Amino acid sequence: MIADRVSLELRNSLSELDTLGQILQQFGEELGLANKTLFQICLAMEEIVSNIISYGYTDDDVHWIKIALSYDKGIITIRLEDDGIPFNPLWAQEPDCECPLEKRKVGKLGIHLCKKVMDDMIYERFGNKNVLTLRKDIKDS
Amino acid sequence: MEVFEKRQDGICILGLLGRLDSNTSPEFEKKIFEVIDDGTKSVVVDFASLDYISSAGLRVLLKAAKELKRSEGKIVLCSMKDYIKEVFEIAGFVSLFPITSSVGDAVKEF
């Protein structure tokens, strides 16, 4: 049977990205995702999770990021929940992708990449939680 | 991730193997800046065996390109998988880096 629903929790440590990568790889293989689709999902997830880990917390405590992946009728849905500072990535400033090398800023690209490779991104705030829902339509891939 | 270094006619060719992500980018940053700090002006980064890149990897390449530009050097990227090339397009990086389809063509850019 194909596991079309996976839940996991990651600690707020960048080393957890390896665990995330392995789980996404397995999820993608079981669904038979094309290399490009799986790559884009891994990319979007790394950008969001690394952002939460790097900028989401103002203390040194251990925090957990809850992730749920599901597949239904050609759509992959990813829900991420964290208790970091309120942050709506949809409001993040877009990087200037046109300016020449000398003026290009190093950074701010992650959320931009995530938005572009996913089909939908919804942000909600529930109590002290940020909840981000990402969707990817894989019907044509 | 592994980085393989090769020298050819004064050009340093760095071959990447594996993943260039938040965890592995610091190692690549260290390597490429060692090469630049040694005075190398011509750098090729070979993506043939690279399976994954995220903004952390793009950040290192941008930093290296800026540094090389300051010292009148140049960086050329080559042999990218299509889905990786697409990330460079989305990031607006294709106008910042010469990207060729093979190491042979990359070397001709200098």
Side-chain angles (χ1 to χ4, degrees), chain B residues 67-82:
Chain B
E67 187 59 34
L68 280 165
K69 178 134 196 183
R70 268 193 289 271
S71 59
E72 293 177 342
K74 186 171 162 183
I75 182 167
V76 179
L77 315 178
C78 71
S79 315
M80 283 180 192
K81 292 181 171 64
D82 287 346

Side-chain angles (χ1 to χ4, degrees), chain B residues 6-41:
Chain B
K6 210 170 79 177
R7 300 268 169 178
Q8 185 181 324
D9 306 326
I11 300 168
C12 175
I13 302 165
L14 296 174
L16 303 179
L17 175 69
R19 298 166 57 87
L20 195 51
D21 59 21
S22 301
N23 282 326
T24 58
S25 289
E27 186 189 329
F28 174 54
E29 180 167 1
K30 190 166 163 258
K31 181 72 208 169
I32 196 165
F33 275 88
E34 269 170 25
V35 167
I36 296 170
D37 292 345
D38 276 351
T40 305
K41 300 254 189 277

Side-chain angles (χ1 to χ4, degrees), chain A residues 24 27-38 41 71 76 138 141:
Chain A
L24 289 174
F27 182 72
E29 278 170 14
E30 284 181 11
L31 287 175
L33 295 184
N35 282 345
K36 178 181 166 176
T37 309
L38 180 57
I41 291 170
Y71 170 79
I76 289 176
I138 62 164
S141 57

Side-chain angles (χ1 to χ4, degrees), chain A residues 1-139:
Chain A
M1 199 191 98
I2 294 172
D4 57 4
R5 204 162 282 274
V6 175
S7 302
L8 63 145
E9 289 191 31
L10 301 176
R11 269 182 307 112
N12 56 327
S13 158
L14 285 178
S15 62
E16 293 278 86
L17 289 170
D18 287 342
T19 311
L20 176 63
Q22 283 160 16
I23 290 168
L24 289 174
Q25 188 72 32
Q26 201 181 344
F27 182 72
E29 278 170 14
E30 284 181 11
L31 287 175
L33 295 184
N35 282 345
K36 178 181 166 176
T37 309
L38 180 57
F39 164 73
Q40 291 181 330
I41 291 170
C42 290
L43 173 64
M45 294 287 279
E46 179 188 329
E47 301 300 350
I48 296 297
V49 172
S50 64
N51 212 54
I52 295 169
I53 293 170
S54 303
Y55 307 111
Y57 304 104
T58 51
D59 57 34
D60 296 324
D61 298 348
V62 171
H63 294 268
W64 294 91
I65 301 160
K66 284 187 191 172
I67 299 171
L69 307 162
S70 60
Y71 170 79
D72 187 37
K73 298 186 184 77
I75 309 274
I76 289 176
T77 304
I78 302 159
R79 184 181 189 275
L80 297 109
E81 183 183 306
D82 68 83
D83 63 351
I85 54 169
F87 175 68
N88 182 348
L90 292 163
W91 289 349
Q93 203 187 344
E94 287 283 323
D96 182 354
C97 293
E98 302 293 325
C99 66
L101 182 61
E102 304 78 28
K103 291 185 179 157
R104 278 302 291 265
K105 297 268 191 309
V106 178
K108 284 193 179 158
L109 274 171
I111 288 165
H112 173 70
L113 294 180
C114 177
K115 276 187 203 163
K116 294 284 182 184
V117 298
M118 300 306 279
D119 292 303
D120 197 13
M121 196 161 158
I122 300 161
Y123 172 81
E124 295 160 291
R125 180 86 185 164
F126 294 117
N128 67 337
K129 310 269 195 225
N130 294 304
V131 177
L132 190 68
T133 307
L134 306 173
R135 288 200 185 90
K136 176 93 181 154
D137 187 335
I138 62 164
K139 286 196 277 288

